[in-house]
Each structure stands twice: as structure tokens, then as C-alpha cells.
Amino acid sequence: MIRIIRNTITAVLILLSLSCGHTNASSDLADRHQFFKKSVSKPIKFDLDKIKSRGTLRAIVFEGPTSYFLYKGQAMGFEYELLKHFATYLNVDLKIIVAKNFDELGELLNSGAGDLIAHGFTVTLDRQKSFMFSDYLYLTKQVLVQRKPKNWRAMKLHEIDKELKHDPIHLIGDTVTIRDHSSYKMRLENVMNEIGGLIHMNIVDSSISTDELIHMVHKGDIKYTIADNTIANVFSYHFKDLHVSTPISFSQRASWVLRRNTPELKSALDAWITQMKKRTDYYVIYNRYFKNRSSILRHVESDYYFNRTGEISPYDDLIKKYAENLPWDWLLLASQVYQESRFDPEAKSWARAHGLMQIMPSTAEELGITNTANPEESLRGGTSYLLDLWNEWQSIPDVKERIKFTLASYNAGLYHIKDAVSLTRQLGGNPKLWDDHVEQAVLKLTLKKYYTRPEIKYGYVQGTEPVNYVKDILKRHRLYQSFFEETI
């Protein structure tokens, strides 16, 4: 199970919403510098044994086009995908804590709100005085971001190269725009000491993102800035006039961050990273977000990319409209629509269910739906059916439990779930609780010795389907809530 909590999160603007230039790219390592300088409380004592006892790993992440984002209604991101693997390795659930900004990271970690920070921080001796770092997940380096000559397309490669800076020593006497309180600023100061020459630093406010500075280079507003090569490479794919190949630093380790008093968690994390980096899965995930730039561009420029559009699907307005008829929020309905059809109005199942709400032909006829491919008709009919099912479970006093019974009934059929309630009662369970009670009876109805019992009227059920259906919808609902800050 994966749960997501938003820590007073503000809307995050995406990597390539370049018309306004504001972004929070996940691989912008310099933004993390302030976190290590900010005063934080003494770390709580909560190591791996207590995490396993609790049964949940709490991971702090940021929204961004490579770290954690919503695309076509589904959570994605480099850190997010790795965290799912790590939680499975520990045999615990995963709870995502979405941080608002870098300033609060140290406090979120040391206070115990999260067990680790899943973001690629560079490891330095100074930072290791306050926190522990995992084995590195990948290597990165800082590069100079500069603009090619205006007429570069008409020039030969050697002519372009002649106009560019290929070594930091060539920056002596020139000006680089850099953000205050960043590791880029620290690195540039070290470079000046190493080359024995003055590079003028145009210091801008720490609230200005590296992404915005890169955009300013592209627009010609500033000459140079410094960025992490992973994010610079993504921008250079989009902005062909940018050159991002001049190194400013040696290779640096990008690692996750832990409290200093969690040696067992660090040991497990390091062992998992070593194991993971030997697997194809790791490189598939890494390449998806850092190498396959065209794929990332398709994501962030798509109308399905929530971080830019603020929409889960093209049908958000219709979903909101018909959710008004239901006793739960529109995000839960959106999660169910995704589960049914992935927001594809032409989706068809093997059983001939069709449309956004996957309505069966017989049900469509009963509900007066003439075109199940029509999004509005499908949502109108599907929500009408959901309300009928909701009313069938008036005996369930708890609202959240009643929602689970309603969703399960939509998937498996009302009378199969009523059979499961009867079986639960016969087996001594609580017929008004879904988790570990009625859901277990649903699973048992897959077995002949249960579905042939005399009190079972409607026979066999493929029990894993409705059980996973309910879990997946509710898990995704919590994810959607993390972006919208809403509750049931």
C-alpha cells in the first residue's frame, strides 16, 4: 500500500512551463544547500526496527518532472519508482511525504515526519556533519550553461566552438549569474581559488530556481549560469541553442539523506542500492527519467501532466459535475474512472464493458444509456449506478467502510458482495468491516469449498479482482488528495 501526504504543499510548476520560467526540477542539486544550513531539532530515535514494527516507510519527496509527478492520473518519478522497490524490499507499506520547500527538509527528517529524504543530494564533508547519506544512486556534475552564437545554425561546428567557453579558466573577468545560498555559488568560489582569477558573480535571490536561470540564458537575459548536468541536459534537448558540456565540478555522488542515528536503515538502504544497481530494473527507471529526454518532454508538455495543467484528465469538469450526486469527493470518482478505463472513453473489456465507467451492455440498457462511449452518458449512468449501490449498504454505519462495499459491488456485483457478507458472518468475522473481514470472504469465494456452501447464492467470484480494485482506487485517491489537498 502506498499513501501520500502533502506537507502544506504549494502548486509546483513543471520543468518546461517555460513561458513563465518557474519550476522545481527534481535533480536541481544546488537547491538542497539551504536545507543543510538550516537549524533543525535533535533527531528522534527511530531506526529500521521501529519502521518495520510500524509497517510503513515514510519517505520525503518533492514534486518535479523527474522525481515525483502525476501523469495520466498515475504517480511517476525516479525517486517514486525506486521507493516502491525499496518498500517492497523492506516488506513494508510506503507513505509519501510531499515537502513544500527545501528549508523544511531537515526538520521533517529529524522530527520523524519522514524516515529518509528521497532526493539526489550531493555528498560533502560539511553536510555529513549533520546527516548521513546512502550509497550513491547516480553520479552527477555541475556544468556551465551558456548560449550558442545567435546564428549558430549557419555556422560550422568549429566556428561555434570558438565562440564558447570550454574551461572555467576562460570565465576570468566574466560574469556568471548564480543563486544565493546554493552549492553552485560555493563551487564557483572554489573554482576562482583553484584558477587564481576573479569571476564576477551576479547573485540573485535564492527563491529563483535554476530552471528559471537556464531559461534566462536561453532568452539572452543573462550570459551564464551553472546547473546540475542532468537537468541541464534535459533543457538543452528542448532548447537547441544551449551548450551545457563545460564541466565546473568533478563527478559528485547523488544520494538519499537519513538521520545520523539510523545506522540499521542506512545499512539496509545501502544493501538494497547495491543489489538494485545490479538489476536491469534500475537502469530502465534511470533511463526513463534522465536519458530518455523525449519521453520526459512528452510527459511534461502533455495535457495529462498535472504539474502543469492542474488537471488529472480531460474529463475533470464532467467528473466534478456527476460527483456532486455522490456522498464522496470527485477525486475518488476520478480514481475509479482511471481504474476502469484509464480515462479512455473507447476502452473495452473482455466482458464487453465499455466507456469511461466500463458499463456492461445490460446495465447500460437499464440505465437508459444509448452510447457508452459518450463520456457524459457514461458518467451519468455510472454515478447513478454507484448511488444505487451506496443505498444498498445503509447497514454499514461507517462512511469509509460503506465506500469500500460500494466500490466492491460496482466491480464484482452487488449480490456477490452480499454473499461475502453472509460468509463473513458464518465464519465469525465482522460483516460491517471490509479490511481483513469481508474482503477475506470475497477471496475465499474463489475456492469451491466456499462458493458451493448452501448460504452462498451467487457462486464463484474471482476474489482478487474486487479486493485489488478497492485497494487500488483508495490508494490512488490518497495520491490525488496529495496534489489537491482535499479529504473525503
Side-chain angles (χ1 to χ4, degrees):
M1 180 189 297
I2 301 172
R3 292 178 287 173
I4 294 92
I5 293 177
R6 175 177 299 269
N7 189 61
T8 59
I9 194 162
T10 55
V12 175
L13 301 176
I14 68 159
L15 170 65
L16 294 171
S17 59
L18 297 169
S19 59
C20 58
H22 297 284
T23 55
N24 266 340
S26 66
S27 53
D28 179 4
L29 302 180
D31 278 335
R32 286 76 154 172
H33 175 61
Q34 267 187 298
F35 147 59
F36 294 98
K37 294 297 184 183
K38 188 175 177 63
S39 176
V40 295
S41 61
K42 184 178 179 181
I44 68 161
K45 294 181 179 180
F46 202 91
D47 206 350
L48 182 60
D49 57 337
K50 293 182 179 178
I51 292 171
K52 287 192 170 185
S53 177
R54 182 177 61 195
T56 304
L57 174 71
R58 300 171 64 96
I60 304 165
V61 302
F62 289 97
E63 284 179 312
T66 55
S67 181
Y68 172 71
F69 60 93
L70 195 64
Y71 175 67
K72 290 191 174 182
Q74 186 172 359
M76 299 180 69
F78 177 71
E79 268 79 22
Y80 180 71
E81 290 198 35
L82 289 184
L83 282 167
K84 289 195 294 181
H85 281 276
F86 184 48
T88 299
Y89 175 82
L90 296 179
N91 194 29
V92 296
D93 292 338
L94 173 63
K95 179 179 286 187
I96 296 294
I97 312 295
V98 185
K100 180 179 69 173
N101 55 53
F102 293 104
D103 288 350
E104 67 183 3
L105 281 176
E107 189 60 34
L108 284 174
L109 183 62
N110 278 357
S111 68
D115 302 312
L116 57 82
I117 301 170
H119 235 58
F121 286 90
T122 51
V123 183
T124 67
L125 291 173
D126 185 52
R127 290 172 174 179
Q128 289 180 90
K129 294 176 183 177
S130 302
F131 299 94
M132 285 200 305
F133 291 81
S134 70
D135 190 5
Y136 72 91
L137 288 154
Y138 57 90
L139 297 176
T140 185
K141 61 183 176 182
Q142 296 179 18
V143 296
L144 182 70
V145 179
Q146 56 186 316
R147 192 181 182 192
K148 298 174 185 176
K150 285 186 178 180
N151 60 336
W152 66 274
R153 291 185 183 275
M155 299 170 67
K156 297 179 180 179
L157 286 177
H158 74 275
E159 293 173 333
I160 297 173
D161 284 344
K162 190 176 179 180
E163 299 292 323
L164 298 173
K165 307 289 188 183
H166 294 285
D167 192 289
I169 201 166
H170 298 145
L171 291 170
I172 292 176
D174 219 325
T175 301
V176 177
T177 301
I178 213 79
R179 187 176 55 257
D180 203 7
H181 304 300
S182 70
S183 60
Y184 300 149
K185 179 174 178 285
M186 294 173 61
R187 179 60 196 148
L188 197 56
E189 290 169 346
N190 290 336
V191 165
M192 284 189 278
N193 184 56
E194 292 164 7
I195 64 178
L198 177 65
I199 300 172
H200 300 288
M201 291 192 290
N202 177 31
I203 306 298
V204 298
D205 189 84
S206 60
S207 64
I208 298 177
S209 70
T210 299
D211 304 355
E212 186 171 1
L213 290 175
I214 294 174
H215 187 220
M216 291 168 69
V217 174
H218 160 69
K219 297 288 288 183
D221 296 333
I222 59 176
K223 288 181 69 175
Y224 311 109
T225 193
I226 299 174
D228 177 73
N229 71 315
T230 51
I231 194 65
N233 287 335
V234 173
F235 268 94
S236 68
Y237 183 90
H238 188 78
F239 292 139
K240 303 299 183 183
D241 62 345
L242 292 181
H243 182 274
V244 296
S245 300
T246 301
I248 298 296
S249 75
F250 297 109
S251 292
Q252 299 171 304
R253 293 171 292 169
S255 302
W256 290 356
V257 186
L258 306 94
R259 291 185 294 273
R260 287 191 59 81
N261 59 355
T262 54
E264 295 301 322
L265 178 59
K266 173 176 165 52
S267 178
L269 179 56
D270 287 348
W272 169 78
I273 290 173
T274 299
Q275 182 185 111
M276 190 71 184
K277 286 197 291 188
K278 293 177 181 177
R279 295 171 54 187
T280 303
D281 285 355
Y282 171 81
Y283 296 96
V284 170
I285 294 169
Y286 180 86
N287 291 340
R288 181 180 297 136
Y289 297 103
F290 293 115
K291 293 290 187 181
N292 191 356
R293 296 165 202 157
S294 61
S295 175
I296 289 294
L297 288 174
R298 285 196 301 271
H299 288 172
V300 298
E301 292 177 335
S302 167
D303 288 341
Y304 290 100
Y305 188 84
F306 173 83
N307 303 53
R308 175 171 62 84
T309 64
E311 296 180 345
I312 296 174
S313 76
Y315 308 106
D316 283 9
D317 287 342
L318 278 178
I319 293 171
K320 291 175 184 177
K321 173 182 175 181
Y322 286 100
E324 290 180 0
N325 301 324
L326 300 171
W328 55 80
D329 69 6
W330 77 274
L331 295 175
L332 182 59
L333 179 59
S335 179
Q336 184 182 11
V337 175
Y338 177 88
Q339 188 74 21
E340 291 287 351
S341 63
R342 303 298 193 268
F343 301 123
D344 178 4
E346 297 292 344
K348 294 180 181 179
S349 77
W350 62 272
R352 296 189 302 134
H354 189 217
L356 288 180
M357 295 293 286
Q358 289 291 280
I359 297 173
M360 295 289 288
S362 58
T363 307
E365 187 176 348
E366 292 176 12
L367 295 170
I369 299 173
T370 57
N371 181 10
T372 51
N374 181 286
E376 182 147 16
E377 282 201 60
S378 185
L379 284 164
R380 176 183 59 78
T383 51
S384 176
Y385 183 46
L386 277 169
L387 191 58
D388 288 343
L389 293 172
W390 171 263
N391 290 332
E392 288 284 344
W393 293 108
Q394 295 182 38
S395 61
I396 308 298
D398 184 87
V399 170
K400 292 183 179 180
E401 291 298 317
R402 191 172 172 185
I403 287 172
K404 295 173 186 177
F405 281 80
T406 301
L407 292 174
S409 300
Y410 192 95
N411 178 262
L414 173 64
Y415 293 103
H416 282 305
I417 304 304
K418 288 196 171 184
D419 270 350
V421 168
S422 297
L423 181 59
T424 302
R425 191 178 290 111
Q426 290 292 323
L427 297 176
N430 188 334
K432 297 183 186 299
L433 291 179
W434 178 259
D435 293 352
D436 298 322
H437 290 270
V438 176
E439 73 168 357
Q440 291 302 314
V442 173
L443 292 172
K444 286 181 171 61
L445 288 176
T446 304
L447 305 175
K448 188 174 182 179
K449 70 175 183 177
Y450 290 106
Y451 68 73
T452 57
R453 289 171 66 133
E455 70 270 17
I456 302 304
K457 299 179 181 179
Y458 293 90
Y460 170 85
V461 178
Q462 177 48 264
T464 55
E465 186 175 336
V467 168
N468 289 336
Y469 182 84
V470 172
K471 285 182 179 178
D472 289 346
I473 289 172
L474 295 179
K475 178 173 68 178
R476 190 178 304 104
H477 178 226
R478 288 188 288 270
L479 184 153
Y480 290 172
Q481 287 176 322
S482 77
F483 284 89
F484 282 93
E485 299 182 272
E486 293 185 13
T487 57
I488 293 178

